[in-house]
Amino acid sequence: EKDVTVRGLELIKSSSKVFLEAYTSILSIGKERLEAFYGRDDIVVADRDFVECHAEEIYLPAKESDVAFLVVGDPVCATTHSDIIIRAREAGAVVEVVHNASAMGAVGCCGLQLYNFGQTVSIPYFDENWRPTSFYPKIKYNRRGGLHTLCLLDIKVKEPDFEAMKRGKIVYLPPRFMTVNE
């Protein structure tokens, strides 16, 4: 909660609406703790469904008042966030991006130099019907060039249970967080 920049904190406190994106990354503390730190009690958690299917509820109000969209990490690293920025600007909303601490910058803490990194890859969970291989050539390319590869491991939070949906029930699977061993 305390990794937010001073500028970010000012905007959070002055915004008429605050959304916390809970789809592309996870926050290790609860919404209530954030609300206490930010001096608010109205933060809206934006899960995958909200971000993918109702993003206009985030950016359309920004045409009339200040809206904060909180992201764990860098706000422009995920295509999901870039898409919302583009759509907000196309809708006529003023967008200000406030950069934050992220895994992309934190790799330097491991003693690795950012200059020696190649393309970053996302490694998704596989299932019986989907085994993407698009990240393999990027890792191979980086390795041949003597470059490090930052691998972003998949998370599954609030994923629908399709079998339950077939029976007319909305049920979510337990959260999963990919480990290196997977």
Side-chain angles (χ1 to χ4, degrees), residues 111-144:
L112 304 174
Q113 295 298 312
L114 286 177
Y115 296 108
N116 294 326
F117 272 82
Q119 296 179 65
T120 298
V121 300
S122 294
I123 302 178
Y125 278 112
F126 295 167
D127 64 32
E128 59 275 356
N129 299 315
W130 192 62
R131 270 187 93 76
T133 59
S134 58
F135 57 91
Y136 289 125
K138 293 176 183 177
I139 293 171
K140 184 177 179 181
Y141 178 85
N142 289 348
R143 189 168 168 88
R144 282 192 176 156

Side-chain angles (χ1 to χ4, degrees), residues 65-150:
S65 62
D66 289 337
V67 174
F69 183 61
L70 310 182
V71 173
V72 176
D74 192 301
V76 293
C77 284
T79 54
T80 301
H81 308 141
S82 298
D83 175 63
I84 290 174
I85 291 169
I86 291 166
R87 290 197 278 162
R89 287 183 174 149
E90 287 174 349
V94 174
V95 176
E96 178 181 352
V97 175
V98 178
H99 295 278
N100 195 16
S102 78
M104 303 300 273
V107 296
C109 291
C110 301
L112 304 174
Q113 295 298 312
L114 286 177
Y115 296 108
N116 294 326
F117 272 82
Q119 296 179 65
T120 298
V121 300
S122 294
I123 302 178
Y125 278 112
F126 295 167
D127 64 32
E128 59 275 356
N129 299 315
W130 192 62
R131 270 187 93 76
T133 59
S134 58
F135 57 91
Y136 289 125
K138 293 176 183 177
I139 293 171
K140 184 177 179 181
Y141 178 85
N142 289 348
R143 189 168 168 88
R144 282 192 176 156
L147 302 171
H148 306 301
T149 303
L150 178 59

